[in-house]
Amino acid sequence: MKYSNKIKWSFAAGIVVSLCWLIGDIFVAGFDPNPADYPIFSKNYADQVDVTFATLMLEGSTSRLMFGALIGALTGPLLLPATWLVFQFFKDRTKGYAIFTYYVLLVGAVLSPLGHAGFFYVGEIYKAVYHTDAAAHPYLLETGRGFMKMLNIAWGAAIGVLAIGWIAFVVCILLNKTLLPRWMAILTPFVLTLFIIPLKQILPLPYSGWVGGAIFNIAYLIFFSTLLLLFRKKLLESLN
């Protein structure tokens, strides 16, 4: 396949996976409940659960949460060509900083689907607690703690690794090691996320929940869309 075609399909992968993960986040975690509305967690079991997570997905049906988890997890492979595309914007892809950034982002991409899918199981177990008799709660709460531990490890690892990779990319942009202008550092996913977070506090329901659940992938979509609209031609011209 010609390099230009690889670039074209990688752009398509970046846009599609960003959209799919954004939709997935909204479906699986795009809620903004008031924990006080669920005293079983905010009062009765407040010392046994993460109240925010225990109440986050109570309003989601099983089919909604499942769709949200699967659309992200099953399109995860598209993160690989999207990450390769980011690597192509380095001026010299043989340098250690370029290779380091690429492989760290690649590892983060590989780790992400498990963390994303884990929200489904956490949501379902706490829905089970909410809708069952108190006699079943000790076992369900113990299972919920296990699911939360799994989610924290999987999602925390993915986010931590991706943060390192994107911060490294920001540094490379600022040091003029890429084809991108320095102002593009603001539109990289990690930095842009910091600007999107406050939006959750000022938006009304249900939009505050949507933004809160999909912050990182809103940033991904903006980043890849900007690359496509403003810098695709520059990337292709750099070959000549």
Side-chain angles (χ1 to χ4, degrees), residues 5-218:
N5 286 334
K6 290 181 181 179
I7 294 296
K8 178 180 71 175
W9 288 110
S10 295
F11 268 114
I15 299 297
V16 170
V17 75
S18 298
L19 282 170
C20 287
W21 278 64
L22 190 159
I23 293 168
D25 283 346
I26 290 174
F27 271 75
V28 80
F31 308 96
D32 193 13
N34 181 359
D37 293 337
Y38 304 98
I40 189 174
F41 294 114
S42 60
K43 294 182 180 179
N44 298 15
Y45 298 133
D47 60 339
Q48 299 184 55
V49 301
D50 180 322
V51 177
T52 300
F53 267 96
T55 58
L56 177 63
M57 292 168 274
L58 294 178
E59 300 174 8
S61 66
T62 297
S63 58
R64 170 176 172 158
L65 299 184
M66 186 180 296
F67 173 77
L70 288 176
I71 193 175
L74 295 181
T75 57
L78 295 178
L79 290 169
L80 304 182
T83 304
W84 177 84
L85 176 65
V86 173
F87 180 55
Q88 303 312 299
F89 279 91
F90 281 97
K91 290 180 177 178
D92 187 345
R93 296 190 292 275
T94 66
K95 296 293 186 180
Y97 54 78
I99 295 171
F100 170 81
T101 302
Y102 174 52
Y103 279 101
V104 171
L105 289 176
L106 204 60
V107 170
V110 172
L111 292 174
S112 293
L114 176 60
H116 178 82
F119 280 81
F120 169 78
Y121 302 99
V122 170
E124 286 296 295
I125 196 65
Y126 287 122
K127 281 167 56 184
V129 173
Y130 188 70
H131 292 291
T132 56
D133 188 86
H137 291 176
Y139 175 77
L140 294 174
L141 289 170
E142 181 63 28
T143 304
R145 283 190 286 272
F147 285 176
M148 273 302 304
K149 184 176 182 180
M150 182 75 172
L151 178 63
N152 286 333
I153 293 172
W155 195 236
I159 292 297
V161 172
L162 285 171
I164 293 171
W166 285 116
I167 290 171
F169 191 62
V170 167
V171 172
C172 290
I173 291 175
L174 295 176
L175 294 177
N176 200 31
K177 302 298 184 181
T178 74
L179 300 173
L180 303 173
R182 289 186 172 91
W183 61 261
M184 262 300 290
I186 298 175
L187 296 185
T188 55
F190 179 81
V191 176
L192 193 54
T193 293
L194 302 179
F195 289 96
I196 297 173
I197 288 174
L199 287 177
K200 180 182 185 297
Q201 308 305 321
I202 62 176
L203 291 173
L205 291 170
Y207 309 111
S208 60
W210 294 359
V211 171
I215 289 173
F216 199 59
N217 289 299
I218 293 172

